[in-house]
Amino acid sequence: NEEFKVTPWEVSGKVDYARLIEVFGTEPIDDKLLERWKRITGSVPMALQRKIFFSHRDLNWILDLYEKGEKFVLYTGRGPSGNTHLGHLMPWMFTKYLQDTFDVPLYFQMTDDEKYLSRDELSIKDTLGFSYENALDVVALGFDPKKTFIFSDLEYNKTLYRIAIEVAKRLTFSTAKAVFGFDNSTNVGMIFITSMQSAPAFLPSVERGKNVPVLIPHAIDQDPHFRVTRDIAPKLGYYKPASVHCTFLPSLAGSDKMSASKPETTIYTTDDPKTARKKVLSAFTGGRVSVEEQRKLGGVPSVCAIFQYYYYLFEEDREKLNAREQKCVRGEIMCGECKQELAGRVVSFLERHQEKREKAKEIIDEFIVSDYS
Ligand code: SF4
């Protein structure tokens, strides 16, 4: 598509999520599924209500098994190429909700090998360092240490490699090229790396010696990897992993996704309060050129980055969110006030998160699994 691009390594432009569902061949999360969700779990979380998680593969199958008493395992991960930002936390928070709601284990993969191979500027030491730093953010979210296993590909390679080569043997170069768009300048490591990303989807089955259903919550850009995983699963005698996909948290510039390559419009979990506040106060809004005009014409929340942050993360109460939208449209609230309020919420979130992140350093060993310790 000319207007936007979504691959595991690049997301740019204004993403049309309905179009992505068609192109990737996934299923939309519709009202029927939400009703079922409510019937099984008692409520529908904000991320599903607001279609922040908007698409899936085989989620009904996971729920069918769950209703029959067969529990699934969660698998998600992170490509550790830098510090964690709020956009990364979004799917992890949903994963935490899934762990709590269904009382299931989580396998969390740090694809530090893939980041080393795909980023010229990163050394192995860098990506290992980011694996640790990013893992602190995962632990800070409050996952259950008895049910959560965090591993880095570089440190858990003996375990993962055996499964990865089974996948690699069944994946041709032409398929990898068609799915990922590799060309002659691609290093050979990258051609293999999707096999490592498949491995945790089968690891619970290998460990338990029987087929275990796996649900992968992830941002939609990773779907190509799991399409490959799903293609190969039956050839190895495993279940195809199910998945549930989220949209991207927009950047503070309002247009594209929050991205580590644009630090001034991205809020990191490690930002100090002053820096975070400044970023929020400089965000793109849907405000008018003057206060008079805004009072007269109202703002445009649909294009406003500040409104998006309330929508995605910082206003859980639907009525309050609607009230803000209405006030904005009617010119009853000005952007300065709206930004200040969001900045306050972002800062208090970061302060609490950073405290938990410090404490995570003391307990992180309970979460990490490695072949070398
Ligand atoms: Fe955005 Fe708030 Fe300004 Fe409306 S009032 S355009 S929601 S910042």
Side-chain angles (χ1 to χ4, degrees), residues 76-257:
T76 194
R78 154 89 177 128
S81 55
N83 288 327
T84 305
H85 59 61
L86 293 185
H88 301 128
L89 292 189
M90 229 169 51
W92 303 350
M93 286 167 163
F94 184 65
T95 304
K96 159 89 166 75
Y97 154 82
L98 292 172
Q99 180 174 74
D100 293 346
T101 305
F102 295 96
D103 188 25
V104 287
L106 164 66
Y107 287 50
F108 195 107
Q109 178 184 40
M110 295 289 176
T111 57
D112 39 17
D113 52 351
E114 182 259 325
K115 283 300 160 217
Y116 169 67
L117 288 165
S118 65
R119 298 289 180 96
D120 286 343
E121 73 282 10
L122 292 179
S123 67
I124 287 186
K125 200 171 158 223
D126 292 335
T127 59
L128 272 170
F130 286 131
S131 279
Y132 173 77
E133 289 295 324
N134 296 169
L136 291 176
D137 289 299
V138 176
V139 172
L141 292 178
F143 286 98
D144 181 344
K146 290 196 188 69
K147 293 202 179 74
T148 304
F149 309 94
I150 304 176
F151 47 87
S152 111
D153 285 356
L154 290 167
E155 298 285 334
Y156 207 41
N157 46 39
K158 256 164 84 184
T159 304
L160 297 175
Y161 185 68
R162 281 178 176 233
I163 307 171
I165 56 164
E166 287 198 74
V167 174
K169 193 171 179 178
R170 284 148 187 99
L171 174 62
T172 64
F173 177 53
S174 80
T175 300
K177 205 166 146 190
V179 174
F180 298 106
F182 296 143
D183 61 29
N184 283 349
S185 68
T186 307
N187 69 58
V188 294
M190 286 297 287
I191 296 158
F192 171 73
I193 213 69
T194 194
S195 310
M196 286 295 274
Q197 211 155 318
S198 288
F202 307 135
L203 183 57
S205 299
V206 171
E207 284 175 341
R208 296 186 199 176
K210 63 173 186 142
N211 250 337
V212 177
V214 167
L215 172 63
I216 314 176
H218 64 85
I220 187 75
D221 58 333
Q222 297 300 306
D223 182 68
H225 283 298
F226 301 120
R227 242 181 283 155
V228 168
T229 313
R230 284 170 56 86
D231 264 2
I232 289 171
K235 297 178 189 163
L236 295 173
Y238 300 124
Y239 287 143
K240 289 182 179 188
S243 52
V244 54
H245 315 125
C246 71
T247 55
F248 308 108
L249 179 66
S251 92
L252 287 167
S255 47
D256 44 10
K257 96 179 223 271

Side-chain angles (χ1 to χ4, degrees), residues 3-113:
E3 291 153 28
F4 69 91
K5 192 171 180 185
V6 176
T7 77
W9 299 286
E10 190 189 348
V11 176
S12 59
K14 189 168 170 20
V15 180
D16 178 342
Y17 291 105
R19 179 92 188 98
L20 265 191
I21 287 178
E22 277 174 37
V23 174
F24 283 1
T26 63
E27 301 278 323
I29 292 186
D30 55 16
D31 291 347
K32 205 169 149 214
L33 183 51
L34 293 186
E35 274 165 35
R36 185 171 188 206
W37 195 275
K38 190 170 179 189
R39 188 167 49 71
I40 295 172
T41 68
S43 62
V44 179
M46 183 179 114
L48 288 177
Q49 267 173 27
R50 294 189 188 170
K51 303 279 160 78
I52 294 170
F53 273 79
F54 70 107
S55 149
H56 73 100
R57 291 184 191 272
D58 280 343
L59 198 50
N60 276 305
W61 167 71
I62 284 283
L63 295 176
D64 288 345
L65 292 181
Y66 181 81
E67 286 196 296
K68 283 184 204 143
E70 190 175 349
K71 279 200 180 178
F72 55 91
V73 166
L74 291 163
Y75 155 37
T76 194
R78 154 89 177 128
S81 55
N83 288 327
T84 305
H85 59 61
L86 293 185
H88 301 128
L89 292 189
M90 229 169 51
W92 303 350
M93 286 167 163
F94 184 65
T95 304
K96 159 89 166 75
Y97 154 82
L98 292 172
Q99 180 174 74
D100 293 346
T101 305
F102 295 96
D103 188 25
V104 287
L106 164 66
Y107 287 50
F108 195 107
Q109 178 184 40
M110 295 289 176
T111 57
D112 39 17
D113 52 351

Side-chain angles (χ1 to χ4, degrees), residues 5 27 29 36 82 88 91 123 132 145 173 197 224 233 253 265 268 280 298 302 326-327 340 347 350 355:
K5 192 171 180 185
E27 301 278 323
I29 292 186
R36 185 171 188 206
H88 301 128
S123 67
Y132 173 77
F173 177 53
Q197 211 155 318
T265 54
Y268 296 97
V280 173
S302 58
Q326 286 310 309
K327 272 170 133 183
Q340 285 289 355
V347 165
L350 287 179
E355 238 173 71

